[in-house]
Amino acid sequence: MFKSTSPLFGGLLWKIPWRLSPPQKARQRKRLRAVDEVVDTVSEALKRNGMPMAKAVERWYAEMPQEEEMLPKDKYTIYDRKEKSYRKGIHSK
Amino acid sequence: MSYFRITLMRSAIGLPQRTTGVLKALGLKKRMATVFHPVSLDVAGQIMKVKELVSVQEVDRPLTKQEVHLQRKPDPGYYIECHSGQEDA
């Protein structure tokens, strides 16, 4: 049965909630951890084969935090110069 | 001498030309494609360029395309005891 609601009538009214849901956040953490895992694998493989460490890997360990060391702000929001607070959620357009 | 087993997990659609070029150089053309490369500094650098898109394992030998396919094949749910015209021991 058709129920008249603003999203159905207005056409362009469908909203993305400003905050991420817990499963969205969990998936984001999973993606971050996957990147950490890739770097760990590469560095271990180089070590095991007796090769010098790649510069990109060294830089990663020197500069980048692991997923569990990151602040929630860094995990779930990104910089945007057009936003009022210079931060927007990773899910917003 | 071991190998990197690299699988493309996320597509590079909408990413810069440089990223797409690295994937092409690695031989990854579509999602879930798997390639094997010997562990070297060059390949390590290439992987670091696309670390957000791939999953990497270190393996002893490169598998053939068929072996990778068999690994991904689901369990059929049955096993063959004997074929017709064959006496079982």
Coordinates of all heavy atoms in Angstrom, one line a residue, chain A residues 5-16 93:
Chain A
T5 N 5.1 9.6 2.1 CA 6.1 10.1 3.0 C 7.0 11.1 2.2 O 7.0 11.1 1.0 CB 7.0 9.0 3.5 OG1 7.6 8.3 2.4 CG2 6.3 8.0 4.3
S6 N 7.7 11.9 2.9 CA 8.5 13.0 2.3 C 9.5 12.4 1.3 O 9.7 12.9 0.2 CB 9.2 13.9 3.3 OG 8.5 13.9 4.5
P7 N 10.2 11.3 1.6 CA 11.2 10.8 0.7 C 10.5 10.3 -0.6 O 11.0 10.5 -1.7 CB 11.8 9.6 1.4 CG 11.5 9.8 2.8 CD 10.3 10.6 2.9
L8 N 9.3 9.7 -0.5 CA 8.6 9.2 -1.7 C 8.1 10.3 -2.5 O 8.0 10.2 -3.8 CB 7.5 8.2 -1.3 CG 8.0 6.9 -0.8 CD1 6.8 6.0 -0.3 CD2 8.7 6.1 -1.9
F9 N 7.6 11.4 -1.9 CA 7.0 12.5 -2.6 C 8.0 13.5 -3.2 O 8.0 13.9 -4.3 CB 6.0 13.2 -1.8 CG 4.6 12.8 -2.0 CD1 3.8 12.4 -0.9 CD2 4.1 12.6 -3.3 CE1 2.5 12.0 -1.2 CE2 2.8 12.2 -3.5 CZ 2.0 11.8 -2.4
G10 N 9.0 13.8 -2.3 CA 10.0 14.8 -2.7 C 10.9 14.5 -3.7 O 11.5 15.3 -4.4
G11 N 11.1 13.2 -4.0 CA 12.1 12.8 -5.0 C 13.5 12.8 -4.5 O 14.1 11.7 -4.4
L12 N 14.0 13.9 -4.2 CA 15.5 13.9 -3.8 C 15.7 14.0 -2.3 O 16.7 14.5 -1.9 CB 16.1 15.1 -4.5 CG 16.6 14.9 -5.9 CD1 17.1 16.2 -6.5 CD2 17.6 13.8 -6.0
L13 N 14.8 13.5 -1.6 CA 15.0 13.5 -0.1 C 15.3 12.1 0.4 O 14.4 11.3 0.7 CB 13.7 14.1 0.6 CG 13.9 14.3 2.0 CD1 14.8 15.5 2.3 CD2 12.6 14.5 2.7
W14 N 16.5 11.8 0.4 CA 16.9 10.6 1.1 C 18.2 10.9 1.8 O 19.1 11.5 1.3 CB 17.0 9.3 0.3 CG 17.8 9.5 -1.0 CD1 17.4 10.1 -2.1 CD2 19.1 9.1 -1.2 NE1 18.4 10.1 -3.0 CE2 19.5 9.4 -2.5 CE3 20.1 8.3 -0.5 CZ2 20.7 9.1 -3.1 CZ3 21.3 8.1 -1.0 CH2 21.6 8.5 -2.3
K15 N 18.2 10.6 3.1 CA 19.3 11.2 3.9 C 20.3 10.1 4.3 O 19.9 9.0 4.6 CB 18.7 11.9 5.1 CG 17.9 13.1 4.8 CD 17.5 13.8 6.0 CE 16.8 15.1 5.7 NZ 16.4 15.7 7.0
I16 N 21.5 10.5 4.4 CA 22.5 9.6 5.0 C 22.7 10.1 6.4 O 23.0 11.3 6.6 CB 23.8 9.7 4.2 CG1 23.6 9.3 2.7 CG2 24.9 8.9 4.8 CD1 24.8 9.7 1.8
K93 N 29.1 12.1 1.4 CA 29.6 12.4 0.0 C 30.3 13.7 0.0 O 30.1 14.5 0.8 CB 28.4 12.4 -0.9 CG 27.8 11.0 -1.0 CD 27.0 10.8 -2.3 CE 26.6 9.4 -2.5 NZ 25.5 9.2 -3.3

